[in-house]
Amino acid sequence: MGILWTLIIGAIAGWLGSQIFKGGSLGLIGNIVVGIIGGFIGFWLLGGRLGEGVVGEILTGTIGAIVLLAIVNLFTRGKV
């Protein structure tokens, strides 16, 4: 159940991050990958300060996904 929960939270966080940053979706797999990596980045940057539970995890992953998308955008010059 833990892996499934991680995939669901990653998909939601990646989708929210792509909506806020660019306005377009990366597809289901792309959103999951961006959301999971964004969760690690968000936790590293914020240290879990956005609260506990599902909402805190989604917010942390979303902020991390936005940071990740901004970094990727710098290297690809707007192609992502």
Side-chain angles (χ1 to χ4, degrees), residues 5-27:
W5 195 244
T6 301
L7 293 175
I8 291 169
I9 298 257
I12 293 169
W15 177 78
L16 282 173
S18 67
Q19 293 298 312
I20 292 169
F21 184 76
K22 184 183 175 197
S25 181
L26 301 172

Side-chain angles (χ1 to χ4, degrees), residues 13-14 16-22 26 33-35 37-46 50 58-76 80:
L16 282 173
S18 67
Q19 293 298 312
I20 292 169
F21 184 76
K22 184 183 175 197
L26 301 172
V33 170
V34 168
I37 295 172
F40 287 114
I41 293 172
F43 186 77
W44 179 68
L45 290 174
L46 303 171
L50 293 177
I58 291 174
L59 290 175
T60 302
T62 301
I63 291 172
I66 292 170
V67 170
L68 177 64
L69 290 170
I71 292 170
V72 168
N73 197 19
L74 286 175
F75 290 110
T76 61
V80 174

